[in-house]
Amino acid sequence: MTSVSSPVPHGRSTLRTVQVLGGGNAGSSAHVRSLAAGLVARGVRVTVCAPAEADHTYDFSGAGAEHVHVPRSSDPGSVAALRAACAGADLVHAHGLHASFRAALALAGRRTPLIVTWHSHAHAEGARAHFLRLLERRVVRAAAVVLGTTSDLVDRARGAGARDARLAAVGLPGRRACAEPADPDPARPKTRAELGATGRPLLLAVGSLDHQRGYDVLLDAARAWRRLDPLPLVAVAGEGPLRAVLQRRIEEEELPVRLLGRRDDVAELLAAADLVLLPSRWESRSVLAQEALHARVPLVATSAGSVPELVGDAAELVPPGDAGAFAEAVVRLLGDPERRELLRDKGLRQAATWPTEDETVAQVLSVYDELTQHRPLI
């Protein structure tokens, strides 16, 4: 990301912020890394509180931030560690519900402003759903500002009692919204051969193997593709609690699906894919959908959550949970090269409407300025 450093206003102390992550899913962790780099470039002191493994993966220190290891929420010492790390901060910015709740507890009795960004919301039923709603209410009432990455998250925060909830500009880290089509990837044939997709369509899905991602529906849809010639291969990159269940179905039903586990080469997988699949029951600001459109790979997705708001008419959208509609959309798209090319072009145009990393940092910094106008003079 290219940024221009902003000098500290004359007579004003350097702004010090603390960014708080919980377990840190890929989207929020990448966002914090990008945000940290942009803030540091503008003269802001940034401390990132996150588990050590998150710093190993996202290198917050390499972005110029100080990293402080704070255990996950299941660790009873996490709030005390966070309270110590936030001492002396001008403001605290927490990302995600559990991180925000711990930040609120850590700041209890202090006048340090709390900003919260919601990147998604957890789906649950019964007692757990009630517990999560209580957490949401506690968090939004403690926050000076709640930033939601999608309009439905903003509405959710307002419904929970937020004093100030706004739509967040969230740029896709490492990308430019006006990116030009890339040259064909020379590694594409090698990647496809390694996956067993030489001479056949490669369909890619990426995400944790849990109920929300809708992989059971994807497997239902894959049964319909067995009649195609050549037979498409579905590659799923990700790990999660449903792996054993999904693998058993794949083997018992002889489905053309491979579970790849965790991968650090998603960009290479995208470059090798013919279609990207997003069968989720709910999504917020899907990183995979953004990556697919940037990479000019046609996307078939469910119209769940904020996906329609994000992709517009640049993807094939079907109702969530409808395996038949999902299967038909894939078959139709595989047989229509003109439609695929149209979606590639529409994808780039849609991506050009998304915020850039610089715009993301500028919005966040404007919120910080609002909340710290009366910081002490040097």
Side-chain angles (χ1 to χ4, degrees):
M1 179 181 72
T2 302
S3 303
V4 177
S5 297
S6 297
V8 178
H10 179 69
R12 186 69 64 190
S13 59
T14 300
L15 182 68
R16 179 178 175 240
T17 74
V18 175
Q19 307 288 322
V20 183
L21 278 167
N25 65 39
S28 58
S29 296
H31 171 65
V32 169
R33 208 284 183 185
S34 170
L35 190 58
L39 291 172
V40 168
R42 289 162 169 82
V44 179
R45 287 180 56 202
V46 179
T47 299
V48 177
C49 293
E53 57 268 27
D55 186 50
H56 294 156
T57 301
Y58 294 95
D59 191 21
F60 304 118
S61 305
E66 176 191 5
H67 171 254
V68 174
H69 168 66
V70 173
R72 296 175 183 271
S73 57
S74 56
D75 189 308
S78 63
V79 173
L82 188 56
R83 184 171 177 83
C86 292
D90 292 300
L91 54 85
V92 174
H93 189 166
H95 301 262
L97 178 60
H98 293 285
S100 302
F101 181 65
R102 287 189 297 152
L105 293 177
L107 294 176
R110 294 178 178 174
R111 301 182 65 181
T112 310
L114 173 63
I115 300 96
V116 168
T117 294
W118 280 358
H119 298 264
S120 63
H121 76 83
H123 286 259
E125 298 178 354
R128 177 164 173 76
H130 178 67
F131 171 70
L132 291 176
R133 286 194 295 271
L134 291 177
L135 284 189
E136 289 176 351
R137 287 199 288 271
R138 173 68 175 83
V139 163
V140 301
R141 290 171 184 174
V145 176
V146 179
L147 299 174
T149 59
T150 61
S151 58
D152 60 332
L153 290 173
V154 174
D155 291 342
R156 189 177 182 90
R158 288 172 179 160
R163 290 172 285 170
D164 186 342
R166 312 178 191 181
L167 186 63
V170 179
L172 184 63
R175 290 286 190 177
R176 294 182 59 187
C178 57
E180 294 297 327
D183 293 331
D185 188 340
R188 176 181 167 94
K190 182 174 181 290
T191 303
R192 292 175 68 91
E194 290 173 349
L195 295 175
T198 300
R200 61 194 294 201
L202 175 61
L203 317 181
L204 177 67
V206 180
S208 58
L209 307 183
D210 55 38
H211 180 71
Q212 177 183 320
R213 299 293 179 180
Y215 288 128
D216 55 334
V217 177
L218 179 60
L219 296 191
D220 290 342
R223 284 200 296 260
W225 304 330
R226 291 182 300 188
R227 60 182 170 80
L228 298 181
D229 184 18
L231 179 65
L233 173 67
V234 181
V236 181
E239 196 55 83
L242 295 183
R243 182 184 179 93
V245 173
L246 297 173
Q247 187 62 52
R248 184 164 56 250
R249 278 198 60 187
I250 291 167
E251 294 171 0
E252 291 176 352
E253 300 175 33
E254 298 181 347
L255 300 174
V257 180
R258 283 191 59 186
L259 302 182
L260 305 180
R262 288 191 178 88
R263 301 285 293 233
D264 58 7
D265 61 344
V266 172
E268 289 78 6
L269 295 175
L270 276 166
D274 296 293
L275 300 180
V276 167
L277 309 180
L278 189 66
S280 305
R281 289 182 167 83
W282 191 88
E283 281 285 347
S284 55
R285 192 173 181 87
S286 167
V287 173
L288 179 61
Q290 294 175 77
E291 289 282 14
L293 269 58
H294 272 296
R296 302 188 76 245
V297 185
L299 172 68
V300 179
T302 61
S303 56
S306 296
V307 173
E309 176 184 347
L310 179 66
V311 303
D313 65 350
E316 294 286 352
L317 298 181
V318 301
D322 191 334
F326 202 95
E328 289 174 8
V330 169
V331 172
R332 185 170 60 250
L333 201 51
L334 287 175
D336 190 344
E338 292 183 359
R339 174 65 177 167
R340 294 200 301 273
E341 188 60 30
L342 177 63
L343 288 180
R344 292 186 185 102
D345 293 340
K346 284 187 173 184
L348 280 183
R349 290 196 294 272
Q350 181 69 12
T353 69
W354 298 333
T356 65
E357 286 183 274
D358 277 346
E359 290 167 343
T360 299
V361 175
Q363 185 205 32
V364 168
L365 196 53
S366 72
V367 174
Y368 292 177
D369 287 342
E370 287 179 36
L371 298 176
T372 58
Q373 291 178 20
H374 304 295
R375 282 188 296 131
L377 298 175
I378 296 174

